[in-house]
Amino acid sequence: MNNKNMLEAKKGFFDITLTINGEFLELAVKNGEFLLDALRRHGWKSVKKGCDTGDCGSCTVLLDGKPVLGCLVPAVTAHGRAVTTIEGLGTVRKPHALQEAFVAAGAVQCGFCIPGMILSSKALLDAVPAPTEAEIRKALDGNLCRCTGYVKQVEAVKNAAKKLAGKRRA
Amino acid sequence: MPEIIVKPSDLKELWEMLPGLPAARRYLAGGTDIVTADNAGAESSECWIDISGLPELAAIKETAGALFIGSGVKISEIENSKAARKWCPALAAAIPHFASPSLRNMATLGGNAANGSPCADGVCALVAEGAYVLLALKGKKRRLPLRELFLGPKRTALKKDELILAFEIPKRPHAGVYLKLGPRAYFGISKAAVALTAELSGGTIKRAVVALGSVAPVPLLAVKTSAWLAGRQLSPQTAAAAAAMVKAEVSPITDTRSEAQYRREMCGVLLERALGGLR
């Protein structure tokens, strides 16, 4: 069968094209590979492999701007779509307001859940620039942290929202 | 995961490509159930048909008499739809209890139904909303009351290659409640869940539909309790009597998530609370 929409593994690999952190790329993904594993194998190590069953949220990435779980997305289905990992948000020299706020609030302990948590927060602030505490807690519902009690992450998101609002006014 | 994944761009193309695909094939919507099943070794298709790109499944539409939610609409899109919140209050109340925000960005109502699980929050709520399901297989279309789609745990009336197109919810002004008892307040699979819709006139229940999740082989429509509630005054006495009645209608089992007797008791508690929460 010859169909433009058929992706068939050749020698165990699919060639897909997608946008990662704003860059249009061709990526070879293994047959049976998930987006999480494909991203890690190609160097996006911020995407964490935690439970691998869609429970913990540490593999959260933004797919077309919305948080999804990389461990449940067959990599080939990301063909033609836009992926954002935390590498696309900011760098050590030029961090995103959320990254700064998480550090300033002391919201990071072991750090494993933080990329996913910040990406979920980013999607929230994109949709709701001034969220209530309940909205923040709801948005972070699927991002589990085993070090903290979530208090400081919630505080960090509030602070980042204020800072971003100030930037928009300026 | 199968070696072949195809992604038709519309329904016409889907029906055309079917004969050329391996016989062991399944539809892939949000993937949250099928992928987890695959990882657990419980899924052995040779081909997945990614239906996430089908425009025919992607919209929420309204006519004068009904709301249509496409089977491919993401749960989070329903959450943000004013029309869905207005005409499906029990479904709207269920959505915060549906998995987690990121899973709601992936999962679809069609997948929730096709998976055939008795614990599906979206489906349980839609049964209480009196929804119909619209199915298609090539040119053949049919429309079933949603509850008739479910034959048993993970068993549905879907024929091979038959596709859920949409859910049709008749427009009728009503109140809706969804109460779920899980291992924690959010992000868990229910031990028991109650969806209730009711048309009220002053303090009288004109019509009520009670549906329950995780307490029968299928998402359960409590026919007897629903019928009994019609015409009753909304009162603590009515709620207590309905709670006693619904406990006799469910048939829960003991499994890893909970125990049969506890589940049965909680159905009464949840329905009593749901009736108490009606306004």
Side-chain angles (χ1 to χ4, degrees):
Chain A
M1 197 184 80
N2 189 12
N3 183 292
K4 64 181 184 333
N5 296 312
M6 178 153 162
L7 285 163
E8 195 165 4
K10 289 193 183 85
K11 292 181 184 167
F13 280 89
F14 294 93
D15 284 318
I16 65 168
T17 52
L18 74 173
T19 306
I20 300 180
N21 298 330
E23 204 178 338
F24 191 66
L25 297 165
E26 195 168 278
L27 214 62
V29 303
K30 283 183 197 166
N31 171 39
E33 196 170 37
F34 289 97
L35 186 59
L36 158 66
D37 303 298
L39 287 170
R40 287 186 61 81
R41 195 168 51 77
H42 284 280
W44 286 277
K45 293 283 172 73
S46 71
V47 194
K48 299 298 180 208
K49 195 173 171 85
C51 69
D52 232 4
T53 54
D55 290 307
C56 76
S58 57
C59 65
T60 302
V61 295
L62 303 183
L63 194 59
D64 297 328
K66 290 190 177 150
V68 300
L69 300 176
C71 73
L72 295 183
V73 177
V76 317
T77 65
H79 179 61
R81 306 186 66 179
V83 175
T84 307
T85 70
I86 201 156
E87 285 94 341
L89 239 63
T91 60
V92 173
R93 286 198 179 160
K94 207 182 165 193
H96 185 273
L98 272 164
Q99 292 170 307
E100 280 180 329
F102 268 65
V103 172
V108 182
Q109 286 189 31
C110 90
F112 197 82
C113 69
I114 300 298
M117 207 169 267
I118 290 182
L119 288 166
S120 290
S121 307
K122 164 81 166 60
L124 169 69
L125 296 186
D126 286 347
V128 187
T132 62
E133 175 157 341
E135 285 170 322
I136 296 170
R137 287 186 175 273
K138 196 180 139 201
L140 296 180
D141 197 10
N143 293 92
L144 306 188
C145 171
R146 300 293 79 174
C147 300
T148 73
Y150 302 101
V151 173
K152 295 194 170 180
Q153 282 102 336
V154 172
E155 190 186 315
V157 179
K158 279 187 200 165
N159 292 341
K162 277 182 209 151
K163 193 168 176 187
L164 288 166
K167 270 189 191 166
R168 275 192 299 274
R169 274 195 300 273
Chain B
M1 210 188 291
E3 289 200 7
I4 298 173
I5 297 182
V6 293
K7 189 175 181 181
S9 47
D10 58 24
L11 273 181
K12 186 172 169 282
E13 192 180 49
L14 167 67
W15 306 133
E16 281 167 7
M17 67 166 58
L18 283 178
L21 297 176
R25 57 192 180 227
R26 276 188 83 183
Y27 291 123
L28 172 72
T32 56
D33 283 317
I34 196 175
V35 163
T36 331
D38 188 59
N39 285 342
E43 158 61 29
S44 56
S45 307
E46 287 169 42
C47 168
W48 280 349
I49 305 166
D50 180 357
I51 52 171
S52 66
L54 297 179
E56 293 91 342
L57 313 184
I60 298 178
K61 289 179 197 158
E62 276 184 82
T63 61
L67 181 77
F68 295 83
I69 303 178
S71 63
V73 173
K74 304 287 184 198
I75 303 299
S76 57
E77 295 174 84
I78 302 168
E79 199 170 7
N80 297 325
S81 156
K82 273 186 191 162
R85 285 205 303 270
K86 178 174 179 187
W87 297 111
C88 313
L91 177 63
I95 288 177
H97 299 282
F98 191 116
S100 67
S102 41
L103 287 166
R104 294 198 286 273
N105 284 330
M106 306 170 72
T108 66
L109 216 41
N112 202 220
N115 190 46
S117 168
C119 68
D121 293 307
V123 172
C124 178
L126 274 185
V127 169
E129 299 287 5
Y132 293 84
V133 63
L134 310 181
L135 309 173
L137 178 57
K138 291 167 190 164
K140 282 185 214 142
K141 292 192 178 178
R142 57 184 184 133
R143 175 178 178 269
L144 292 178
L146 177 58
R147 68 192 174 98
E148 291 179 19
L149 187 70
F150 307 105
L151 306 178
K154 304 262 172 179
R155 283 199 305 123
T156 68
L158 286 167
K159 293 175 188 158
K160 183 175 169 60
D161 293 331
E162 197 170 30
L163 185 67
I164 301 177
L165 293 180
F167 300 88
E168 176 187 337
I169 301 103
K171 282 186 179 174
R172 54 184 179 104
H174 63 283
V177 185
Y178 191 82
L179 296 178
K180 170 170 167 175
L181 180 71
R184 60 193 86 84
Y186 290 100
F187 196 17
I189 299 173
S190 61
K191 299 170 193 280
V194 168
L196 166 70
T197 62
E199 290 167 43
L200 300 170
S201 172
T204 306
I205 303 166
K206 281 162 61 192
R207 178 172 173 238
V209 186
V210 179
L212 302 108
S214 295
V215 289
V218 293
L220 184 75
L221 174 68
V223 178
K224 218 175 126 195
T225 309
S226 301
W228 183 83
L229 280 167
R232 306 272 161 186
Q233 283 294 313
L234 192 55
S235 68
Q237 290 74 23
T238 301
M245 190 174 282
V246 86
K247 283 195 275 183
E249 268 197 280
V250 297
S251 53
I253 55 163
T254 295
D255 63 12
T256 53
R257 295 205 301 276
S258 191
E259 287 174 16
Q261 198 190 341
Y262 177 69
R263 284 177 147 148
R264 189 182 298 279
E265 284 302 314
M266 288 308 109
C267 289
V269 171
L270 292 175
L271 180 58
E272 202 169 342
R273 283 185 197 161
L275 284 162
L278 280 179
R279 264 172 288 147

